[in-house]
């Protein structure tokens, strides 16, 4: 929920029928110009870099190159590290040689130390050092003056660093103003003072090393240090006022910025979260894309403003290469995108020569962060799946969701009491609508005290949960990270007594205003705090909870209603003495991490958690699902759900969804139905609604509309085996579940900016209807020489082609790619768990060569036993008139009574006979029907267990 519900409440008091005009109050959020570091960075224009790399200082270990960088403007020296990493990756770090205090390096995001690869010097002249990067034929050129880096794949320049000279690294400096001079003369002293606020356990985990253990080599560097000039201050460097709040900035300016040039690239993607197109646009003349987790009330579409989460990964794609730039920094960050042609630098000319002259399209990307160091991973592809794998090797893959969580979720703010829950639950049975989970928002608690229940409305939560459990359904209850300050509240008392709250700059507990009124914020960056938080989810601590209850973390940006920008003050202090400024974008990830740990622990490590989060960062995919926050019941918001989830998918977060129906406002019935139809084909499928909106359960819109919603839900449930298999592949390979067309058709330029249709896995193309009163829509089916089949009518289409498809209110345009096999469970049931032993239908869609392949992943759906090989992974292969089923997990053990009840082969000629060969049995003939018009064979009751190897032969 967004912050300003109270404001909306006021508006509604004046006239309950008045629909408030929805638009963000932009004045609550900073523009680049109002964020002083962004203003300073951006003022710095492209040109010759004032930095030079002291090539004589180069030190090369097996996998790491170290070089001093000196800024000739102020003689400050930096240390550049280049790491060779296994699998076509490199890491570039730039930090001060001798910072006044350690600069923050982001912990807990990387899943381990990336595997190193050898660097070797291949050549050197006065101003250039040439290195080979790993075994894959990539080369790195380090230019001394002006400093730049260029990466080549063979003869092709793929990426340049600082080629526009925008490296801008604000070194830490001593405070000059009198006030703090009295308190402590140097930043270092202040740092020590702040650190003593925290107990000695701050020493336990990895901390950045103190700057003074790096010994710069070479006289030149020493000289540079001596002649460091004092610089002039600019407004906003030592304190910064926005609205009524002044950020005290005790350590002064510390921002970092760097540019990357991508010759030959016109399409860049990623860096969510923004309510904007999938393809990033140039930010010349507008604000840069902002990455700063914020609770934005009634967010606006089609702009670069920050939203609830951030993943600082940018992807670039052209027909030759896919690349990624992962900027590992958790502070406020802005990203400028510009597009021009290759410059007149030496390398630019070389490039022109190499590519045969003429202007080469080029995209330039400039990253600017308020603090921390420069720590950037270059993912060199060269294919989309290589980049996904490379990024997954750094930050992990999507956690395998429990099976139920891929079903449909029914939420609203709020289901009022136990009777309400019982009635809504019964409504789904009464109207034959499948669903898995009912949700409780903040009003279920005792006065917004999380981990408690309202004693009047929810006196017997276990009885309520037991009723759901009998129906094999679940509940999700909200647990937010703001804690009511109330001495009668156990959670608050424990956190306070353990000294686990975030502190103000003066050392008292930081307090803000949120749902409960005055609230404090647990310091989730502290591992001990996270462990304690996790322990609160055990059944004896969280009274009234049961094993079919899961958790939703909202407001974890964190949202602070009275904070500037509706979040925590940047000079608040966290564990280890770090300012909130440094860790801001990580806070939400830590909340979800600790909550997921809690659900894991309560089951003794056996059951997969389900936790939904609103705020996120790189790596959040490891802890659960993300939704796109407080959208609105408007057609454009429905449209926006696709690019927003595609952008998240591209950066590793596959389990994404948008509130079905729209959170704010009351959707007209047509919009609601269309939203169910679209949501049924998005990974996280949950309806949600604002407290002040009329009820909108599916049966409140007339029988016809309910029937349409039922159909959409049934399509979702029929395809659950396919969804689950895609999530298994996401877990193993890091491939997104929902993907832009270009991922599957990387050579088809016409797909590069398409974000109104997309692929689910490699087999389904989805183009939901997102226009009011639609009579039809333009659909593009890609793939030279490929065929597609409408999954509802089985009509065949040759590709590539764009065609006009007439639609009715029933239409959800979805196409199965010729060459794929999709297992479905077509018997409608009331929840996914009720389908556990249901039979399968195999949908075999033949390509032009009369072939098709597909897979099915199956396990118990809730535990980690798959890690002990307790799963089925089946391969289906149709070729030359034979369908064979075999195992991709030969040692796997998983017993199921599910069998194959039908095989549908689409695009086949009529056979004379169909026979089945099953190991250990003699050949039997199978009954079938043939539909001439659709070239479709239906094989009935082959009655084969899904785990068996078999061959079905068409003659
Ligand atoms: C690395 O890149 C080369 C081409 O530049 C490619 O052939 C190879 O498959 C890539 N390896 C990985 C692990 O991505
Ligand atoms: C499918 O079967 C054919 C014929 O046996 C074989 O040539 C082909 O490699 C198989 N494809 C896959 C993906 O297993």
């Amino acid at each position: 929920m967004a912050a300003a519900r109270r404001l909306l409440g006021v508006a509604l008091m004046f006239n309950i029928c008045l629909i408030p005009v929805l638009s963000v109050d932009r004045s609550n959020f900073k523009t680049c110009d109002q964020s002083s570091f962004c203003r300073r960075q951006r003022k710095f224009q492209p040109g010759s870099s004032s930095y030079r790399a002291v090539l004589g200082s180069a030190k090369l270990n097996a996998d790491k190159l170290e070089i001093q960088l000196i800024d000739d403007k102020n003689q400050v020296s930096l240390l550049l590290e280049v790491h060779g990493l296994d699998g076509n990756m490199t890491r570039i770090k730039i930090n001060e040689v001798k910072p006044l205090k350690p600069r923050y390096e982001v912990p807990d995001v990387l899943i381990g130390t990336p595997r190193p690869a050898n660097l070797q010097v291949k050549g050197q002249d006065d101003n250039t050092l040439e290195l080979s990067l790993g075994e894959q034929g990539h080369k790195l050129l380090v230019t001394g003056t002006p400093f730049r880096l260029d990466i080549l794949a063979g003869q092709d320049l793929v990426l340049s660093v600082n080629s526009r000279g925008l490296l801008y690294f604000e070194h830490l400096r001593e405070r000059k103003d009198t006030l703090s001079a009295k308190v402590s003369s140097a930043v270092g002293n202040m740092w020590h003072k702040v650190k003593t606020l925290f107990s000695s356990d701050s020493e336990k985990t990895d901390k950045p090393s103190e700057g003074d253990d790096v010994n710069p080599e070479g006289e030149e560097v020493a000289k540079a240090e001596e002649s460091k000039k004092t610089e002039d201050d600019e407004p906003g460097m030592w304190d910064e006022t926005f609205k009524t709040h002044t950020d005290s900035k005790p350590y002064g300016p510390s921002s970092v910025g760097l540019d990357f040039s991508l010759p030959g690239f016109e399409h860049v993607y990623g860096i969510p979260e923004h309510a904007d197109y999938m393809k990033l646009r140039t930010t010349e003349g507008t604000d840069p894309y902002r990455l700063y987790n914020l609770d934005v009330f009634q967010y606006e579409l089609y702009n670069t403003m920050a939203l609830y989460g951030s993943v600082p990964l940018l992807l670039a794609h052209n027909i030759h290469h896919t690349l990624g730039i992962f900027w590992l920094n958790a502070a406020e960050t802005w990203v400028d995108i510009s597009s021009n042609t290759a410059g007149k630098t030496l390398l630019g000319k070389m490039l022109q020569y190499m590519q045969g002259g003429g202007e080469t399209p080029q995209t330039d990307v400039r990253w600017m962060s308020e603090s921390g160091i420069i720590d950037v991973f270059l993912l060199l592809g060269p294919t989309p799946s290589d980049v996904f794998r490379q990024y997954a090797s750094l930050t992990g893959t999507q956690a395998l969701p429990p099976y139920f969580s891929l079903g449909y979720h029914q939420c609203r703010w709020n289901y009022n009491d136990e009777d309400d829950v019982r009635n809504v639950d019964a409504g789904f049975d009464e109207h034959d609508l499948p669903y898995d989970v009912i949700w409780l928002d903040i009003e279920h608690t005792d006065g917004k005290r999380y981990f408690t229940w309202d004693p009047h409305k929810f006196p017997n939560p276990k009885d309520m949960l037991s009723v759901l459990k009998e129906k094999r359904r679940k509940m999700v209850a909200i647990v937010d990270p703001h804690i009511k300050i109330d001495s009668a509240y156990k959670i608050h008392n424990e956190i306070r007594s353990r000294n686990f709250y975030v502190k103000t700059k003066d050392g008292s507990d930081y307090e803000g205003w949120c749902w409960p009124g005055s609230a404090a914020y647990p310091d989730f960056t502290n591992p001990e705090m996270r462990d304690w938080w996790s322990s609160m989810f055990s059944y004896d601590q969280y009274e009234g909870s049961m094993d079919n209850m899961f958790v939703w973390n909202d407001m974890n940006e964190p949202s602070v209603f009275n904070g500037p920008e509706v979040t925590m003050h940047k000079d608040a202090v966290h564990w280890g003495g770090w300012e909130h400024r440094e860790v801001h974008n990580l806070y939400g990830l830590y909340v979800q991490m600790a909550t997921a740990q809690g659900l894991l622990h309560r089951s003794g490590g056996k059951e997969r958690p389900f936790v939904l989060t609103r705020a996120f960062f790189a790596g959040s995919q490891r802890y659960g699902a993300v939704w796109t926050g407080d959208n609105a019941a408007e057609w454009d918001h429905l449209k926006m759900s696709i690019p927003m989830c595609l952008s998240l998918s591209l950066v590793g977060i596959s389990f994404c969804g948008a509130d079905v129906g729209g959170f704010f406002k009351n959707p007209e019935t047509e919009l609601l139905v269309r939203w169910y139809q679209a949501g049924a084909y998005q990974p996280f499928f949950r309806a949600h609604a604002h407290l002040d909106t009329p009820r909108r359960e599916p049966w409140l819109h007339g029988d016809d509309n309910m029937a349409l919603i039922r159909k959409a839900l049934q399509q979702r449930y029929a395809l659950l085996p396919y969804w689950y298999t895609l999530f298994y592949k996401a877990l193993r390979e890091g491939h997104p579940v929902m993907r832009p067309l270009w991922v599957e058709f990387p050579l088809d330029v016409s797909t590069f900016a398409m974000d109104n249709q997309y692929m689910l896995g490699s087999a389904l193309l989805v183009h939901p209807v997102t226009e009011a009163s639609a009579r039809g829509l333009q659909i593009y089916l890609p793939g030279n020489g490929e065929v597609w089949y409408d999954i509802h009518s089985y009509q065949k289409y040759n590709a590539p082609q764009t065609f006009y498809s007439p639609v009715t209110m029933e239409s959800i345009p979805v196409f199965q790619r010729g060459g794929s096999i999709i297992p479905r469970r077509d018997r409608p049931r009331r929840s996914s768990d009720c389908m556990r032993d249901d039979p399968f239908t195999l949908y075999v869609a033949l390509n032009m060569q009369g072939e098709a392949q597909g897979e099915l992943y199956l396990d118990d759906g809730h535990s980690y036993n798959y890690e002990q090989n307790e799963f089925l992974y089946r391969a289906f292969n149709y070729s030359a008139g034979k369908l064979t089923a075999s195992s991709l997990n030969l040692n796997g053990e998983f017993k199921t009574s599910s069998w194959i009840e039908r095989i549908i082969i689409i695009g086949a000629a009529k056979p004379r006979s169909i026979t089945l060969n099953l190991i250990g049995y003699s050949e039997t003939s199978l009954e079938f029907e043939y539909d001439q018009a659709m070239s479709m064979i239906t094989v009935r009751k082959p009655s084969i267990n899904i785990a068996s190897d078999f061959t079905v032969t068409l003659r």
Side-chain angles (χ1 to χ4, degrees):
M1 278 149 297
R5 185 215 138 199
R6 287 156 298 121
L7 302 182
L8 190 65
V10 172
L12 289 167
M13 261 159 46
F14 287 116
N15 181 346
I16 197 78
C17 301
L18 190 81
I19 293 172
V21 178
L22 297 189
S23 70
V24 68
D25 182 353
R26 278 171 175 266
S27 73
N28 276 333
F29 303 101
K30 287 184 182 177
T31 60
C32 172
D33 207 44
Q34 289 167 325
S35 193
S36 76
F37 84 89
C38 188
R39 183 174 67 233
R40 292 196 300 278
Q41 288 269 348
R42 229 188 183 196
K43 207 169 68 184
F44 188 64
Q45 290 291 311
S48 187
S49 180
S50 62
Y51 283 92
R52 72 195 143 92
V54 184
L55 296 186
S57 72
K59 275 199 297 187
L60 182 67
N61 316 334
D63 58 350
K64 184 166 90 174
L65 172 75
E66 289 184 351
I67 297 187
Q68 307 295 327
L69 301 179
I70 294 177
D71 186 349
D72 279 330
K73 282 204 312 271
N74 58 14
Q75 303 307 310
V76 173
S77 59
L78 304 176
L79 180 68
L80 164 74
E81 288 178 20
V82 180
H83 298 252
L85 299 181
D86 198 33
N88 296 344
M89 291 187 283
T90 182
R91 180 182 197 174
I92 294 169
K93 288 173 90 168
I94 301 177
N95 197 353
E96 291 181 56
V97 171
K98 277 188 176 172
L100 281 178
K101 72 175 188 78
R103 299 181 65 119
Y104 190 68
E105 299 192 34
V106 176
D108 299 318
V109 166
L110 301 180
I111 54 172
T113 310
R115 276 209 313 277
N118 267 356
L119 293 174
Q120 273 172 15
V121 176
K122 289 286 172 184
Q124 181 160 15
D125 64 23
D126 284 354
N127 199 29
T128 321
L129 191 61
E130 184 191 329
L131 295 144
S132 69
L133 272 182
E135 313 291 311
Q136 311 282 358
H138 286 105
K139 271 186 301 201
L140 172 74
L141 297 181
V142 183
T143 303
T145 312
F147 163 63
R148 64 180 279 164
L149 300 172
D150 295 281
I151 290 174
L152 293 92
Q155 291 304 304
D156 296 335
L157 176 62
V158 291
L159 186 149
S160 304
V161 181
N162 200 38
S163 54
R164 295 197 303 149
L166 294 173
L167 170 59
Y168 187 83
F169 198 112
E170 293 180 327
H171 62 101
L172 297 174
R173 49 198 101 171
E174 289 182 11
R175 256 194 118 92
K176 286 183 269 179
D177 55 349
T178 48
L179 180 76
S180 65
K182 274 186 205 147
V183 181
S184 67
S185 60
V187 172
N189 290 349
M190 188 157 12
W191 168 246
H192 279 291
K193 234 181 104 214
V194 172
K195 270 186 25 171
T196 54
L197 278 174
F198 292 83
S199 45
S200 56
D201 53 28
S202 63
E203 309 299 326
K204 278 180 197 161
T205 56
D206 289 351
K207 278 197 290 98
S209 55
E210 303 282 334
D212 53 15
D213 58 24
V214 182
N215 267 318
E217 288 195 344
E219 287 166 38
E220 202 174 355
V221 176
K223 251 193 296 171
E225 282 295 314
E226 276 163 34
S227 62
K228 211 182 268 183
K229 285 191 286 183
T230 50
E231 291 136 294
D232 292 335
D233 288 346
E234 282 184 40
M237 273 188 172
W238 295 97
D239 57 50
E240 180 169 342
T241 301
F242 180 65
K243 303 193 85 172
T244 55
H245 174 75
T246 299
D247 171 4
S248 68
K249 291 198 166 177
Y251 308 110
S254 61
S255 74
V256 297
L258 187 59
D259 67 283
F260 300 82
S261 292
L262 300 163
F265 288 91
E266 289 181 276
H267 294 84
V268 289
Y269 313 96
I271 55 168
E273 181 175 40
H274 302 97
D276 206 358
Y277 300 104
M278 172 183 69
K279 176 190 184 308
L280 302 176
R281 25 182 180 178
T282 151
T283 53
E284 280 162 291
T286 67
D287 257 7
Y289 286 94
R290 189 181 192 200
L291 295 174
Y292 192 55
N293 297 357
L294 293 176
D295 179 2
V296 180
F297 180 64
Q298 295 177 345
Y299 62 78
E300 227 176 80
L301 306 183
Y302 308 110
N303 69 51
T304 59
M305 287 174 72
L307 282 180
Y308 314 97
S310 320
V311 181
L313 170 66
L314 178 136
L315 279 78
H317 176 72
N318 67 21
I319 57 170
H320 306 295
H321 275 109
T322 311
L323 300 177
I325 300 173
F326 175 39
W327 177 266
L328 182 51
N329 189 305
E332 179 183 347
T333 296
W334 298 77
V335 186
D336 257 323
I337 312 283
S338 55
S339 190
N340 55 10
T341 51
K344 294 196 187 73
T345 59
L346 199 68
L347 251 131
K349 281 185 213 150
M350 193 168 133
L351 176 77
Q352 277 199 356
Y353 168 71
M354 290 187 302
Q355 300 193 345
E359 286 189 326
T360 311
Q362 173 166 317
T363 299
D364 296 303
V365 182
R366 175 186 198 172
W367 297 80
M368 301 166 276
S369 292
E370 186 177 10
S371 55
I373 63 165
I374 292 176
D375 187 2
V376 56
F377 292 82
L378 304 177
L379 317 178
L380 301 174
T383 67
S385 62
D386 291 334
V387 172
F388 300 138
R389 207 159 11 83
Q390 286 153 6
Y391 181 66
S393 76
L394 298 174
T395 66
T397 57
Q398 179 70 54
L400 185 63
Y403 199 76
F404 80 83
S405 64
L406 297 176
Y408 170 67
H409 300 253
Q410 180 67 34
C411 186
R412 86 169 269 115
W413 177 22
N414 215 95
Y415 286 120
N416 300 326
D417 51 30
E418 290 173 4
D419 276 347
D420 197 4
V421 169
R422 216 179 317 267
N423 290 335
V424 171
D425 177 67
F428 279 85
D429 294 330
E430 200 177 309
H431 299 101
D432 254 332
L433 299 159
Y435 100 109
D436 267 82
V437 196
I438 188 161
W439 289 53
L440 294 181
D441 208 325
I442 51 173
E443 313 299 332
H444 84 276
T445 59
D446 183 7
K448 319 294 188 299
R449 294 170 186 84
Y450 304 105
F451 300 100
T452 70
W453 303 82
D454 183 302
H456 306 291
K457 297 173 184 163
F458 294 91
N460 300 302
K462 284 194 175 173
D463 292 351
M464 172 179 68
L465 286 161
S466 301
V467 170
L468 291 171
K469 193 164 181 173
E470 275 163 31
K471 295 191 185 175
R472 300 162 83 167
R473 289 184 180 137
K474 328 283 176 197
M475 173 168 270
V476 169
I478 199 164
V479 176
D480 285 352
H482 48 257
I483 302 299
K484 186 178 174 73
I485 296 178
D486 168 8
S487 57
Y489 178 28
K490 178 186 93 174
I491 298 282
H492 164 68
N493 288 335
E494 291 220 19
I495 298 176
R496 174 163 279 181
S497 69
R498 287 161 201 262
N499 203 21
F500 279 161
Y501 279 129
V502 177
K503 301 281 184 278
T504 66
K505 64 180 191 320
D506 305 316
S508 55
D509 287 349
Y510 175 91
E511 290 182 20
W513 197 259
C514 206
W515 294 126
S518 194
Y521 292 76
D523 186 0
F524 284 90
T525 68
N526 178 347
E528 281 185 37
M529 157 59 208
R530 293 200 299 275
D531 282 348
W532 174 84
W533 179 266
S534 299
S535 72
M536 289 299 102
F537 290 91
S538 60
Y539 299 118
D540 56 347
Q541 292 293 332
Y542 193 163
E543 281 170 39
S545 69
M546 281 180 31
D547 61 359
N548 65 332
M549 195 180 96
F550 298 84
V551 179
W552 169 20
N553 293 145
D554 195 359
M555 316 296 281
N556 53 340
E557 295 73 25
S559 177
V560 182
F561 293 166
N562 57 329
E565 301 200 282
V566 202
T567 192
M568 191 172 278
H569 296 163
K570 282 178 170 170
D571 54 10
V573 182
H574 288 259
W575 178 70
W578 297 110
E579 282 190 285
H580 186 68
R581 183 183 331 277
E582 312 280 356
V583 305
H584 176 83
N585 284 345
L586 273 178
Y587 190 85
L589 172 139
Y590 277 131
V591 175
Q592 193 190 20
M593 176 196 278
T595 305
Q597 282 296 326
L599 296 189
L600 182 64
H601 286 155
R602 74 173 186 187
S603 72
K606 290 204 175 81
E607 298 292 319
R608 286 176 239 164
F610 171 78
V611 182
L612 178 73
T613 183
R614 191 171 70 182
F616 55 85
F617 191 67
S620 289
Q621 67 270 17
R622 308 196 295 262
Y623 308 110
V626 166
W627 97 108
T628 62
D630 299 344
N631 61 2
E634 293 171 3
W635 288 93
D636 274 350
H637 275 268
L638 167 57
K639 284 194 191 89
M640 188 52 77
S641 67
I642 302 171
M644 286 183 79
C645 280
L646 285 175
S647 296
L648 277 162
S649 301
L650 284 172
V651 301
I653 299 178
S654 265
F655 204 5
C656 168
D659 284 347
V660 169
F663 176 69
F664 292 113
K665 295 183 49 174
N666 186 24
E668 60 200 277
T669 303
E670 184 192 353
L671 174 59
L672 183 67
V673 169
R674 289 301 190 199
W675 213 318
Y676 269 97
Q677 294 175 336
Y681 287 90
Q682 293 177 8
F684 174 59
F685 183 24
R686 181 187 76 153
H688 188 33
H690 192 282
L691 185 70
D692 295 325
T693 59
R695 296 292 284 240
R696 54 168 99 138
E697 286 70 44
W699 46 89
L700 300 174
H701 314 276
D703 286 351
D704 292 352
N705 292 307
M706 182 174 66
L708 293 170
I709 292 172
R710 181 187 298 124
K711 277 207 165 130
L713 294 172
Q714 287 175 349
Q715 288 182 38
R716 170 63 168 221
Y717 277 78
L719 278 168
L720 285 179
Y722 182 65
W723 280 104
Y724 198 52
T725 303
L726 290 179
F727 270 96
Y728 179 70
K729 290 194 192 182
L731 169 77
R732 289 293 180 223
E733 294 154 26
H735 286 187
V737 167
M738 178 177 176
R739 34 185 102 143
L741 264 63
W742 62 260
V743 169
E744 288 297 318
F745 301 92
L747 302 180
D748 184 346
V749 178
S750 69
T751 65
F752 288 5
M754 237 176 236
D755 60 11
N756 57 357
Q757 52 177 57
Y758 59 92
M759 300 292 297
L760 284 182
S762 57
L764 289 181
L765 184 149
V766 185
H767 189 140
V769 180
T770 57
E771 299 283 346
S773 324
R775 298 279 180 84
L777 42 77
Q778 294 285 332
I779 292 172
Y780 176 64
L781 296 175
N784 273 324
E786 296 204 25
V787 292
W788 297 83
Y789 304 88
D790 182 312
I791 67 158
H792 311 294
S793 68
Y794 304 110
Q795 190 178 336
K796 177 176 170 179
Y797 295 85
N798 292 314
Q801 68 161 310
T802 301
F803 64 100
Y804 179 81
S805 170
V807 296
T808 65
M809 268 317 289
E810 253 191 53
S811 309
I812 316 178
V814 180
F815 301 84
Q816 185 176 348
R817 191 173 181 178
S820 67
I821 300 178
I822 293 183
R824 274 168 42 176
R825 275 174 163 154
D826 283 332
R827 300 183 180 191
R829 299 282 195 170
R830 65 183 186 198
S831 76
S832 65
D833 199 38
C834 298
M835 303 170 85
R836 200 164 55 194
D837 301 319
D838 275 0
F840 291 94
T841 299
L842 297 182
Y843 287 79
V844 181
L846 301 186
N847 63 15
M848 297 287 263
Q849 293 72 44
E851 295 177 341
Q853 277 93 40
E855 283 130 49
L856 171 68
Y857 173 80
L858 207 60
D859 65 12
D860 67 16
H862 59 88
S863 77
Y864 287 96
N865 293 353
Y866 67 87
E867 290 177 350
Q868 267 69 55
N869 247 329
E870 288 183 30
F871 65 91
L872 287 180
Y873 197 18
R874 308 293 303 160
F876 305 103
N877 182 1
Y878 186 97
S879 174
K882 272 191 197 329
L883 173 66
T884 56
S886 56
S887 178
L888 292 169
N889 176 36
L890 288 171
N891 305 318
E893 269 183 45
F894 178 70
K895 294 233 178 324
T896 170
S897 55
S898 292
W899 52 290
I900 299 174
E901 64 175 342
R902 269 185 317 176
I903 300 170
I904 292 179
I905 305 168
I906 316 152
K910 184 176 182 179
R912 278 175 288 119
S913 71
I914 300 183
T915 54
L916 168 68
N917 287 89
L918 208 59
I919 293 163
Y921 296 86
S922 54
E923 185 169 275
T924 50
S925 73
L926 297 174
E927 280 176 35
F928 66 95
E929 284 155 29
Y930 188 70
D931 180 332
Q932 192 75 45
M934 291 298 152
S935 307
M936 186 173 92
I937 303 166
T938 304
V939 183
R940 292 208 185 278
K941 295 213 183 349
S943 307
I944 318 163
N945 185 284
I946 192 73
S948 326
D949 291 352
F950 65 84
T951 304
V952 167
T953 307
L954 284 68
R955 291 195 177 85

